[in-house]
Amino acid sequence: MIAYVFPGQGSQSVGMGAGLFEEFAELTAEADRILGYSVAELCTADPHGRLGQTQFTQPALYVVNALCHLHRLTTTGRAPDYVAGHSVGEYNALFAAGVFDFGAGLRLVARRGELMGLARGGGMAAVLGLPADEVAAALAAAGLDSVDLANLNTHTQIVLSGLRADIERAGPILKAAGARGYTMLNVSGAFHSRYMREAADSFTETLSAVPMSPPRIPVIANVTARPYPAGEVASLLARQITAPVRWTETVRHLLDLGVTDIEQVGPGKVLTGLVRAIRRDGAPSATDRQEPTPVAATVPAASDGRPADLEAAAWLGDAEFRRQHGLRYAYVSGSMYRGIASAGLVIRMARAGMLGFLGTGGLRPHQIDDAIGEVRRALEPGQVFGVNLLHDPGDPAGEDEQVDRYLRHGVRLVEASAFMDVSPALVRYRCLGLRRDAQGRVVAEHRLMAKVSRPEVARAFLAPPPEQQLRRLVADGRITDEQARLAAGVPMADDLTVEADSAGHTDGGVAYTLMPALRRLRDDLAAEHGYHQRVRIGAAGGIGTPEAAAAALILGADYLVTGSINQCTVEAGTSEPVKDLLQQMGVQDTAYAPAGDMFEIGARVQVLRRGVFFPARANKLYQLYQQHDSLESIDAKTRQQIEQRYFKRSFDDVFELVRQYKGGDWPAGDRLTPKQRMLAVFKWYFAYTSDLAMRGDPAGRVDYQVHCGPALGAFNSWVRGTELADWRHRHADDIGLRLLAGTSALLTDRLAAYGAGAGRSTAPGELVLAAAGGGRS
């Protein structure tokens, strides 16, 4: 089999393409019309000295590579079995595979070159004689984590990218580490690095406007060193701008596929030399890379089909947490908005001995009633579940009605989310479940699990209910004097979930600092108030692998809470198109965007970035809201962009939709200030994009608003190569069991190794209990 590979920037030279422009005169004329200058003159003579400038280099290479390919087809009559390209050369591979036509590819490359050519302050350098892992280790040891590996050209030829000052600093460090050579490249931008994020975001919108067909020939992608999957061309091309070019893995994968001849098609011999070096070095192929094997895949199955390590996993976390909630495992699936944490998901969790919370935020009353009823009918006595209460500071009456609904249904466990302080409705729910047991101790039959990410909010839930609120509730006849007296001796929450780097609303907290701080705060307030029962502290956010779960337990978490990894399961109420996007994401594929419910105060949520425009567009709207006092003050070009691309309708039409939704008692347009009117119109976009994602509307895919944290990207990496790579094989309870089993195995192995290193003889099981809290009561 044969593969054609197309060179990228650095292979250009004056005189390239000579003779081809006359052979393919029509395509050359088309290129001139698209570019606005003579491409033949640029390539063969370069009279103005522009061939080395990125915005000219890239389209020139694309044209010459494409014509070389067509000439090769004409003269040999044979199409390749596989194609690949180095950086911009990948566009030629996609052209050769029929993904887009010549003109469409050239327009994309011209825009790409223009955006990348705007980059300033960056630098790149080639490192010779050191493999990638040694380069990365040397940089890490020197504290140069600001430098990225941009091109993995051969086993021992690596190109670095980053800020120019950092690239210059890296030279002596890598030479001292054993590099044979270190050469600064003549570029102004930090290509294929995190510093090209702005260019990648801008280019994403360009890509969305270009029709693309499935490849007729397998194209090996730079980003993954694997063939392009159907429907992923645009997203991978956008990622390619910031991701490294995995050329070594690409070539090795072609060889693994049985390719015998890899021929460079285009000017120069750069790729020919790289292929020769890769063959000679025998570097590990993409399929042979020593990536961590998913722990769950190595855990043997017991007779009931579950991993054997689940017996040890049942002891992870806090024993009292498991006992009070009636659980086998100290593991919780958190609530997710608009029923993404569905009744089906909660039922599976409860049947497996874990705790699941219904996601009721954004649901209508009858939907909440139906979901609670469905769960109650499905569960056996002793199987437990909880229900979410999402704080709405703008609608205290609605929050009160929600509490009434939960009381009617006999809900005994509520997860309180997005509270900045305890509300009267929440205090009422807590108080109405208070009584004394036979020993005279206060018992809370209405249990609260509060999700917090800030110490001041945690303090409110770790303290008893505010006296002022208790007095007011008693005066209004909503609780009794006795309930108010009992409330003064108990904390608001039984359990406090510390959120760090989670999906949706998050303060961007770091678990390593939050967890110890809030545990100390918990202990201080317990001593101050003399509580007879300790508030348990759980960990949420970032937990998608055994390593993350183990770290949370070592930090002192009494229980684990997962969210993002559960929304890409069969049971989740997420639409299938969204699940298809989510199962492909990596840890870097999230971004922060304004929160629709608190848009005006600048609150932010963490959302999916890969394959969608929502984060960029939402941030643009917030920027406009800050800069303008009315819709009318927005310039005509920007207004047209928002109406046509973002909203798909005019501002006036959007306002009418909002008015209809709000109902007849909502203030008419002339009773709102221009700023308020703009706010109403802009906030509509957030409801609209959330609805698009929930419905999986294919026409609105680029505007999907999907709350998601990087834990799902880590989980995707962990399960790669297993049956769980496809979300259609993922079930929330099974994920939880595998994660716990993997965590137990990991803690056993690592802590046993530490014990052996210290000369201890503690049994592995005892080490797990000691480190992960299984013996606490």
Side-chain angles (χ1 to χ4, degrees):
M1 290 193 291
I2 188 171
Y4 287 171
V5 292
F6 299 89
Q9 202 161 340
S11 292
Q12 72 275 8
S13 62
V14 177
M16 67 179 186
L20 293 173
F21 302 111
E22 295 79 12
E23 181 180 353
F24 299 99
E26 291 186 7
L27 289 179
T28 301
E30 181 181 359
D32 290 350
R33 288 192 299 271
I34 291 170
L35 298 174
Y37 55 80
S38 170
V39 68
E41 181 183 65
L42 172 67
C43 293
T44 58
D46 191 21
H48 306 293
R50 301 186 299 187
L51 187 57
Q53 300 173 27
T54 296
Q55 62 268 41
F56 292 99
T57 306
Q58 294 193 14
L61 272 173
Y62 172 84
V63 171
V64 174
N65 284 346
L67 299 186
C68 284
H69 171 66
L70 295 173
H71 176 76
R72 181 77 60 93
L73 291 180
T74 302
T75 55
T76 66
R78 179 183 177 181
D81 299 291
Y82 295 93
V83 287
H86 193 285
S87 192
V88 71
E90 189 158 277
Y91 289 78
N92 291 106
L94 293 165
F95 163 62
V99 173
F100 40 64
D101 62 25
F102 174 82
L106 180 56
R107 290 184 179 89
L108 285 174
V109 169
R111 177 59 175 160
R112 180 182 188 267
E114 176 187 346
L115 291 169
M116 294 176 72
L118 294 174
R120 293 291 182 270
M124 300 180 75
V127 185
L128 299 178
L130 280 182
D133 56 351
E134 293 185 26
V135 171
L139 292 174
L144 274 177
D145 56 359
S146 57
V147 173
D148 291 345
L149 275 60
N151 297 350
L152 308 176
N153 285 336
T154 72
H155 186 51
T156 56
Q157 184 190 121
I158 312 298
V159 175
L160 304 182
S161 187
L163 301 178
R164 176 163 288 275
D166 292 338
I167 296 296
E168 291 173 347
R169 280 183 56 203
I173 294 167
L174 292 172
K175 287 182 180 178
R180 293 198 310 271
Y182 190 85
T183 305
M184 294 290 294
L185 303 183
N186 185 23
V187 295
S188 61
F191 303 152
H192 295 290
S193 77
R194 73 191 82 171
Y195 303 102
M196 299 303 295
R197 176 61 57 197
E198 185 175 349
D201 290 343
S202 298
F203 192 50
T204 298
E205 193 155 347
T206 302
L207 286 164
S208 70
V210 177
M212 297 186 187
S213 303
R216 294 195 296 265
I217 305 170
V219 182
I220 311 302
N222 284 182
V223 174
T224 62
R226 287 290 189 279
Y228 270 91
E232 292 295 320
V233 173
S235 62
L236 284 175
L237 285 178
R239 288 175 59 195
Q240 190 220 48
I241 293 179
T242 58
V245 176
R246 300 186 178 278
W247 191 249
T248 303
E249 297 170 18
T250 295
V251 173
R252 291 300 304 170
H253 186 60
L254 287 170
L255 297 174
D256 289 345
L257 290 169
V259 173
T260 53
D261 296 314
I262 301 177
E263 298 183 6
Q264 176 172 334
V265 179
K269 297 182 179 180
V270 171
L271 297 188
T272 300
L274 295 182
V275 170
R276 184 183 302 115
I278 293 167
R279 286 182 186 269
R280 182 181 62 247
D281 292 342
S285 69
T287 54
D288 294 334
R289 279 177 290 173
Q290 296 301 306
E291 295 182 351
T293 303
V295 176
T298 69
V299 177
S303 58
D304 62 356
R306 292 182 176 181
D309 279 64
L310 283 176
E311 286 303 316
W315 292 94
L316 296 175
D318 182 73
E320 181 61 20
F321 177 85
R322 298 192 303 272
R323 186 198 65 76
Q324 186 178 84
H325 292 297
L327 305 173
R328 177 168 172 76
Y329 305 102
Y331 183 91
V332 181
S333 66
S335 57
M336 289 176 285
Y337 188 70
R338 290 187 66 179
I340 291 175
S342 66
L345 191 155
V346 168
I347 290 167
R348 288 193 69 121
M349 294 294 291
R351 288 174 173 170
M354 296 178 283
L355 177 60
F357 283 95
L358 274 172
T360 59
L363 295 184
R364 297 184 180 277
H366 74 274
Q367 293 175 309
I368 297 173
D369 292 336
D370 290 346
I372 293 175
E374 181 182 347
V375 174
R376 286 216 182 279
R377 289 189 297 272
L379 297 186
E380 301 291 335
Q383 294 175 337
V384 298
F385 73 102
V387 179
N388 175 246
L389 180 61
L390 184 65
H391 184 43
D392 186 351
D395 186 15
E399 199 168 291
D400 236 13
E401 291 173 4
Q402 194 83 309
V403 165
D404 288 337
R405 175 168 293 101
Y406 294 165
L407 293 172
R408 289 196 302 272
H409 281 287
V411 171
R412 296 297 183 92
L413 177 58
V414 164
E415 181 189 54
S417 304
F419 283 81
M420 299 302 291
D421 200 351
V422 296
S423 68
L426 205 59
V427 171
R428 181 166 68 93
Y429 175 80
R430 181 66 161 170
C431 290
L432 289 176
L434 296 176
R435 62 175 178 83
R436 289 192 184 276
D437 64 12
Q439 288 74 41
R441 292 181 300 185
V442 179
V443 176
E445 293 186 342
H446 292 165
R447 298 192 300 277
L448 279 178
M449 181 180 289
K451 295 176 77 171
V452 301
S453 54
R454 302 172 64 145
E456 64 271 24
V457 180
R459 179 178 290 275
F461 281 100
L462 291 168
E467 290 184 17
Q468 183 178 1
Q469 289 193 26
L470 292 173
R471 289 197 299 268
R472 180 64 182 268
L473 288 168
V474 170
D476 291 344
R478 312 206 77 183
I479 63 172
T480 66
D481 285 328
E482 174 65 8
Q483 288 166 339
R485 282 193 294 272
L486 296 178
V490 297
M492 270 297 298
D494 300 277
D495 305 292
L496 196 74
T497 301
V498 178
E499 258 193 313
D501 201 22
S502 59
H505 287 282
T506 174
D507 290 308
V510 178
Y512 300 115
T513 53
L514 274 176
M515 183 69 73
L518 295 192
R519 281 172 56 85
R520 291 189 182 93
L521 178 63
R522 183 268 312 272
D523 294 342
D524 291 344
L525 289 177
E528 177 183 336
H529 294 286
Y531 300 142
H532 77 272
Q533 182 168 304
R534 183 174 59 91
V535 176
R536 279 88 48 163
I537 305 289
I543 300 176
T545 62
E547 291 85 354
L553 291 167
I554 294 293
L555 282 171
D558 296 312
Y559 58 94
L560 302 173
V561 181
T562 58
S564 295
I565 63 175
N566 302 315
Q567 67 181 321
C568 194
T569 61
V570 173
E571 297 79 31
T574 327
S575 66
E576 291 195 3
V578 168
K579 292 177 187 178
D580 289 336
L581 285 173
L582 290 173
Q583 77 174 14
Q584 298 293 331
M585 70 168 284
V587 294
Q588 76 283 3
D589 291 327
T590 63
Y592 283 92
D597 54 344
M598 293 184 279
F599 178 85
E600 58 269 42
I601 65 173
R604 289 159 66 79
V605 290
Q606 188 164 204
V607 296
L608 177 69
R609 178 181 63 193
R610 178 179 180 178
V612 297
F613 295 158
F614 170 77
R617 291 179 171 180
N619 281 305
K620 177 68 173 180
L621 291 178
Y622 184 66
Q623 181 184 43
L624 291 171
Y625 179 75
Q626 289 183 303
Q627 294 173 346
H628 297 272
D629 292 323
S630 69
L631 293 170
E632 289 70 25
S633 66
I634 299 173
D635 65 273
K637 182 179 179 181
T638 301
R639 175 171 182 149
Q640 182 183 38
Q641 179 189 41
I642 294 170
E643 289 181 329
Q644 293 182 0
R645 296 186 180 181
Y646 296 20
F647 294 175
K648 311 296 191 297
R649 49 185 58 81
S650 69
F651 288 163
D652 291 339
D653 288 343
V654 169
F655 185 78
E656 179 60 23
L657 289 173
V658 175
R659 190 191 64 76
Q660 292 174 8
Y661 177 79
K662 295 284 189 180
D665 60 343
W666 192 64
D670 58 358
R671 292 175 57 191
L672 295 175
T673 67
K675 188 79 168 182
Q676 290 171 329
R677 182 182 174 92
M678 178 168 60
L679 177 63
V681 169
F682 281 5
K683 289 183 75 168
W684 169 89
Y685 177 72
F686 294 84
Y688 166 66
T689 52
S690 178
D691 187 59
L692 288 174
M694 290 300 299
R695 290 188 289 109
D697 185 340
R701 173 170 169 161
V702 296
D703 283 297
Y704 286 175
Q705 179 185 174
V706 182
H707 291 194
C708 186
L712 181 54
F715 177 82
N716 288 338
S717 177
W718 181 49
V719 301
R720 186 179 297 129
T722 75
E723 73 277 11
L724 297 188
D726 186 339
W727 67 261
R728 293 162 183 82
H729 298 150
R730 298 181 187 181
H731 298 280
D733 57 332
D734 181 52
I735 285 174
L737 294 174
R738 288 173 183 251
L739 188 59
L740 288 171
T743 303
S744 173
L746 182 69
L747 284 168
T748 298
D749 291 344
R750 294 195 178 176
L751 294 175
Y754 296 153
R760 301 190 184 102
S761 58
T762 311
E766 294 177 276
L767 282 164
V768 172
L769 294 180
R776 291 196 296 265
S777 62

